[in-house]
Amino acid sequence: MKLLVSHASPYARKCRVTALEKGITNLEEVHVSPLDEPEKLNHLNPLGKIPCLIYGENKTLFDSPVICAYFDEMGEGPRLMPKEGEAHWAMRRHEALFDGLLDSALGIVVDLRKPEQQQSEQWQQRWGCAIDRALSQGQNELDKIEGDISAAQIALGCAIGYLEFRLGKHDWLAPYPYLREWYETFNQRPSMQATLPK
Ligand SMILES: N[C@@H](CCC(=O)N[C@@H](CS)C(=O)NCC(=O)O)C(=O)O
C-alpha cells in the first residue's frame, strides 16, 4: 500500500500514527505536494488533497477518517473505533470535533499566507473561537473518550500538534491545563514522536 503524504500535513499524520499504532508494516509513504505536483495526485483524489491511500489493484481511499478506519480494520491490536452502538457514535462525534478543530486551524494558516490586504480578520477570529470551543469541550470530555488510544485521541493529538507547529505564537492550551497534561503524555507515544511535523 502507498500513502500519499507530506511531512507537515496533520491529516496525513493522523493516518501515519494510526498505521504505527495498528502495526501496519506494508505501507510506503510517498511525499507529494498537493499545490506543486497536482499531476501526481488529482487522478487519484479528485479533491487534490493528501492523505490519499492507494491499495489493492489501484484502489484509492480518502479522506483521513476513512483511511484511519481502514487501517483500524486491517491492523492488529485493540480497535481504535468501537465497532457499533453508542460508543461508536460517541467516538465518531469526538473524531469529527477534533478533525473540525484541525480544519479551523488550517483555515487560519491558509488565510495568513495570503497578501495582507486579502486576509480576513473576521474569519480568523471565527476560526480561532471555534478552535477554543473545541479545545474546551475536548478538555471537559477527555475522560469520556474510551481507552488510552483511540481514533478521537489521535485526531486530538495531531490537531494540538498542528496548532503548536503552525500557530504556536499563541498558547492555545493556556486555559486548559488538564488537556495540556494529557497532550504532553500522549505526545510521548512512539507513534507521535516518529511523525513529528517538519
Ligand atoms: N478532510 C481532509 C482534509 C485534507 C487536507 O485538507 N489536506 C491538505 C494538506 S494538510 C491538502 O491536501 N490541501 C490541498 C488543497 O486543499 O488543495 C482529510 O481529513 O483528509
Side-chain angles (χ1 to χ4, degrees), residues 19 47 115 120 138 160:
L47 301 173
S120 167
I160 295 176

Side-chain angles (χ1 to χ4, degrees), residues 9-11 14 34-35 47-51 63-65 99 103 106:
S9 167
Y11 302 99
K14 286 174 54 200
L35 298 189
L47 301 173
K49 294 186 184 195
I50 52 166
D63 46 12
S64 61
D99 281 351
D103 294 342
L106 187 68

Side-chain angles (χ1 to χ4, degrees), residues 100-114:
L101 190 168
L102 203 40
D103 294 342
S104 298
L106 187 68
I108 296 178
V109 170
V110 169
D111 201 56
L112 285 172
R113 284 186 184 151
K114 294 177 186 166

Side-chain angles (χ1 to χ4, degrees), residues 46 51-52 70 84 89 105 115 120 128 136 139 154-155 160 169 171 183-184 197:
C52 176
Y70 182 73
E84 57 200 0
W89 296 112
S120 167
S136 171
Q139 170 164 281
I154 292 172
I160 295 176
K169 276 189 197 156
D171 186 0
Y183 172 69
E184 281 169 2

Side-chain angles (χ1 to χ4, degrees), residues 90-103:
M91 182 73 73
R92 289 276 297 264
R93 182 186 172 282
H94 278 127
E95 185 186 40
L97 176 67
F98 304 133
D99 281 351
L101 190 168
L102 203 40
D103 294 342

Side-chain angles (χ1 to χ4, degrees), residues 17 21 79-80 146-151 153-154 186 189 191:
V17 169
E21 293 288 349
R79 283 188 67 91
L80 299 175
E146 286 192 19
D148 290 341
I149 177 85
S150 67
Q153 286 161 332
I154 292 172
F186 188 80
R189 294 185 79 89
S191 60

